[in-house]
Amino acid sequence: MGEFTADKSHPRYESLLSRHKLEVAASKGMLADSALIAHGRGEAFDYLLGEATSENAMLAARNALAHLMAAKRPIITINGNTAALAGKELLQLAQALNCPIEINIFYRTEQRISALYNHLEEIKDIHHITTEILGKNPDAKIPNLEGPRANCCAEGIFSSDVILVPLEDGDRCEALVNMGKTVIVVDLNPMSRSAKMASITIVDEVLRVAKCMLNYLSSDEEIDIDIDFNNQNNLQQSINIIASNYIN
Amino acid sequence: MGEFTADKSHPRYESLLSRHKLEVAASKGMLADSALIAHGRGEAFDYLLGEATSENAMLAARNALAHLMAAKRPIITINGNTAALAGKELLQLAQALNCPIEINIFYRTEQRISALYNHLEEIKDIHHITTEILGKNPDAKIPNLEGPRANCCAEGIFSSDVILVPLEDGDRCEALVNMGKTVIVVDLNPMSRSAKMASITIVDEVLRVAKCMLNYLSSDEEIDIDIDFNNQNNLQQSINIIASNYIN
C-alpha cells in the first residue's frame, strides 16, 4: 500500500484521503466486501449535502454529545469503515468521555474482529489512549436479531443507556431502540432506515462528526441536552438541503 | 469466489447480483481500486431515482439507439464496471449493430486491459458473438487529454462518429464531444459533469439500458432519431424525479 501523497490544496483532498484510508484498511483485512460500495453511497449523499457540516448536523452532534456526557453507561461502537475513517478521533472521544469502545460489525468473522482490534490497539499505543476495547469476546445478544450480528458484550452495548453507533444497519438500530436505549446514529442518507429509527441522527460524515464533538469538548461551552430536539425536524432540514441543491 | 445464491424473490435481488458481478470482476483483476466506490455512488443515485427506468430515460435510450443505428462508424466502449455489470448485453448490442467494442479504461494498466479482454472474449465464446474487441493496442490519442487515458484505437474510438460510452469520466466525455462526435453517456447522476457534457445522457443503470436497447431492437418498432430531443430537458426530468422523491 503506497503512501498518501495528494497535496492538501487538491479540491478533492479530503475525499481522496478517505479513500486511501479505506484502501489501507482493506489491505489489513478490516473491511467486508460491501464496505467500499457503502462508502461510495456515502460519497454520493455527502456530495448532495455539499460536503460540509450543516447547522442542523452541528446541533444534532451537540445534543448527542450532551446525552453521552449525561449517560450512566455511554458507549461508542466501531465497525470497519468507522475504524478506517475516524478510528483515532472516536478513540479520543471515548477517552474524553471515559467510556469504552465496542467493535460491532455486521458480517462478523474472527479474522476481521482481530484486524480491527489490532488496528485500534495500535492507535491507542501511538496516541497514549487507555480506552477499553470490547467486542472480541461477546457474551450477550441483542434481542430480536438473528445470526452473528446479534452478538455483543454484556458490559458494553448490552447494558449501555446511550450508544453512539456510526454507520449502523437499520435492523440493528431498530433492535437497539427497542431495548430502550438512546441511539445516536451518524448517517449521510437522511432517508435511510437507520436515520429514521434513531433517537438522534447526525446527518454528516463520521470524521467531521467526531472532530466536531472533540471541538465542543475542548471549548469552554456548556453542553446541555436540548429538550426541544426533534429528530424528525432535524432529518427534514437535511432533506431540505439536498432538495434545494436539486431545485435551484 | 462463491456462487451467487440469493433468491430472485429477494427485494434487493438485482442489487445483490450486481455486487456479486463486481466481486467476481475484482477477483479477475478487471477493476481499479476506485471501482467499488464508484458503484456505491451509482447505487445511491439509483435509489433516489426509484431503481427503475424512467420514461425520459427510455426515450433517451431510444434516441441514442437511433443515432447508433444511423451512424457511419458507431462504437461502444467498455470499462471495468461496465464489463462486469453488462458485458454480455453490450456485446449482444454491438453484434446487433454490427459495430466494434473498444476497451476504454481510465486507469490503464496492461494487466487490467488483458483481464477485460479475456473476460469479453469468454462471453463471446459462450454466446457465439463475433464482435471485434479493440483497445489492446492503442495507436491514436484523444486530443486535449493527458496521460494513458488519452490512448485509443485509430479504427475505433478515434474515427467513430457516434459513441456509446457508459459510466464515462467528465474530462474524457468533454474531449470526445470536442472531437465532434455524438457522445452517448449512461450515468445515474443527472448532475455529473459527464451527464451535462454528453450529447445524449441516459440517466439509468447500465444493465437496464442495455436490455432496454436490445428490447427495442427485437421489437417491430421503427427506431427514428428524435429531432426534438433536448438533453437539458432530459436531464431536468431525471432531476425532477429525484427532487420529487425528496419533497413528498
Side-chain angles (χ1 to χ4, degrees), chain B residues 3-238:
Chain B
E3 284 290 301
F4 184 65
T5 54
D7 192 272
K8 275 207 170 187
S9 66
H10 191 292
R12 314 260 345 125
Y13 177 82
E14 299 295 339
S15 170
L16 294 174
L17 180 57
S18 291
R19 287 187 188 180
H20 176 74
K21 287 176 175 176
L22 287 169
E23 284 170 24
V24 173
S27 74
K28 286 182 171 180
M30 288 161 54
L31 304 185
D33 288 338
S34 55
L36 294 178
I37 294 177
H39 182 70
R41 283 200 303 276
E43 276 193 0
F45 282 103
D46 202 16
Y47 162 85
L48 294 172
L49 287 162
E51 293 177 333
T53 300
S54 64
E55 198 180 335
N56 64 294
M58 203 178 278
L59 291 175
R62 184 189 167 91
N63 189 36
L65 182 61
H67 278 276
L68 286 164
M69 291 167 75
K72 287 206 179 97
R73 295 183 71 99
I75 192 162
I76 300 173
T77 73
I78 287 195
N79 62 18
N81 282 20
T82 311
L85 296 170
K88 183 186 79 180
E89 291 76 10
L90 288 173
L91 276 164
Q92 289 171 331
L93 187 62
Q95 176 91 349
L97 291 168
N98 194 23
C99 78
I101 292 271
E102 184 164 334
I103 299 168
N104 166 44
I105 60 182
F106 197 78
Y107 300 105
R108 190 183 181 92
T109 69
E110 290 319 304
Q111 183 266 337
R112 282 220 297 130
I113 293 277
S114 290
L116 283 166
Y117 187 83
N118 295 339
H119 176 76
L120 295 174
E121 287 293 337
E122 232 173 72
I123 294 172
K124 279 173 61 179
D125 280 353
I126 296 169
H127 298 280
H128 309 292
I129 293 170
T130 55
T131 298
E132 187 183 12
I133 312 285
L134 302 169
K136 264 192 122 173
N137 301 302
D139 52 359
K141 293 213 181 272
I142 301 169
N144 302 313
L145 271 188
E146 278 170 33
R149 63 188 172 152
N151 291 342
C152 69
C153 290
E155 290 298 298
I157 289 175
F158 192 81
S159 54
S160 64
D161 54 347
V162 179
I163 177 167
L164 172 59
V165 281
L167 320 187
E168 184 52 284
D169 158 72
D171 281 352
R172 197 156 56 185
C173 180
E174 183 171 7
L176 292 167
V177 169
N178 287 340
M179 287 173 83
K181 302 178 190 307
T182 297
V183 178
I184 302 158
V185 155
V186 177
D187 198 318
L188 282 157
N189 177 1
M191 301 188 302
S192 75
R193 272 196 68 229
S194 295
K196 290 178 186 164
M197 290 305 311
S199 318
I200 301 172
T201 306
I202 308 168
V203 182
D204 198 7
E205 195 273 326
V206 63
L207 177 59
R208 293 200 301 265
V209 171
K211 286 183 174 172
C212 173
M213 288 185 171
L214 289 170
N215 282 341
Y216 275 129
L217 284 174
S218 65
S219 76
D220 291 334
E221 281 185 64
E222 291 272 333
I223 309 293
D224 294 321
I225 288 176
D226 176 3
I227 53 167
D228 295 325
F229 182 84
N230 177 311
N231 203 41
Q232 195 58 44
N233 292 349
N234 166 49
L235 290 174
Q236 189 58 50
Q237 288 180 59
S238 289

Side-chain angles (χ1 to χ4, degrees), chain A:
Chain A
M1 189 55 51
E3 282 292 300
F4 184 65
T5 54
D7 192 273
K8 275 207 169 186
S9 65
H10 191 293
R12 313 261 343 128
Y13 177 83
E14 298 294 342
S15 172
L16 294 174
L17 180 57
S18 290
R19 288 186 186 179
H20 176 73
K21 287 177 175 176
L22 288 170
E23 285 171 24
V24 173
S27 75
K28 285 182 171 179
M30 287 161 54
L31 304 185
D33 289 338
S34 56
L36 294 179
I37 293 177
H39 182 69
R41 283 199 302 278
E43 276 193 359
F45 282 103
D46 203 15
Y47 161 86
L48 294 171
L49 286 161
E51 293 177 331
T53 300
S54 64
E55 197 179 335
N56 64 294
M58 203 177 280
L59 291 174
R62 185 190 166 92
N63 189 37
L65 182 61
H67 277 276
L68 287 165
M69 291 167 74
K72 288 207 180 98
R73 295 182 71 99
I75 194 162
I76 299 173
T77 73
I78 286 194
N79 61 18
N81 282 19
T82 311
L85 296 171
K88 183 185 80 179
E89 291 75 11
L90 289 172
L91 275 164
Q92 289 171 331
L93 187 63
Q95 176 91 347
L97 290 168
N98 195 23
C99 78
I101 293 271
E102 185 164 334
I103 299 169
N104 167 45
I105 59 182
F106 198 77
Y107 300 105
R108 189 183 181 94
T109 70
E110 290 318 305
Q111 182 264 340
R112 282 219 299 129
I113 292 276
S114 289
L116 283 167
Y117 188 82
N118 295 340
H119 175 76
L120 295 174
E121 286 293 337
E122 231 174 74
I123 293 173
K124 280 174 60 180
D125 279 353
I126 295 168
H127 297 280
H128 311 291
I129 293 169
T130 55
T131 298
E132 188 182 11
I133 312 285
L134 301 168
K136 263 192 121 170
N137 302 301
D139 52 359
K141 293 213 181 272
I142 301 170
N144 302 314
L145 271 189
E146 277 170 33
R149 62 187 172 153
N151 292 342
C152 68
C153 290
E155 289 298 299
I157 289 174
F158 192 82
S159 54
S160 64
D161 55 347
V162 180
I163 178 168
L164 173 59
V165 281
L167 321 186
E168 184 52 285
D169 158 73
D171 281 352
R172 197 156 56 185
C173 180
E174 183 172 6
L176 292 168
V177 169
N178 287 341
M179 287 174 84
K181 303 179 191 305
T182 298
V183 178
I184 303 158
V185 155
V186 177
D187 199 318
L188 282 157
N189 178 1
M191 301 186 304
S192 75
R193 272 197 67 231
S194 295
K196 290 177 186 163
M197 290 305 310
S199 318
I200 301 172
T201 306
I202 308 168
V203 182
D204 199 7
E205 194 276 325
V206 63
L207 177 58
R208 293 201 300 265
V209 171
K211 285 183 176 173
C212 174
M213 287 185 172
L214 288 170
N215 281 340
Y216 275 129
L217 283 174
S218 65
S219 76
D220 292 333
E221 282 184 62
E222 290 272 333
I223 309 292
D224 294 321
I225 288 175
D226 175 2
I227 53 168
D228 295 324
F229 182 85
N230 177 310
N231 204 41
Q232 194 59 43
N233 292 349
N234 166 49
L235 290 174
Q236 190 58 51
Q237 287 180 60
S238 289
I239 290 171
N240 292 350
I241 292 168
I242 295 176
S244 70
N245 283 338
Y246 268 95
I247 295 163
N248 294 330

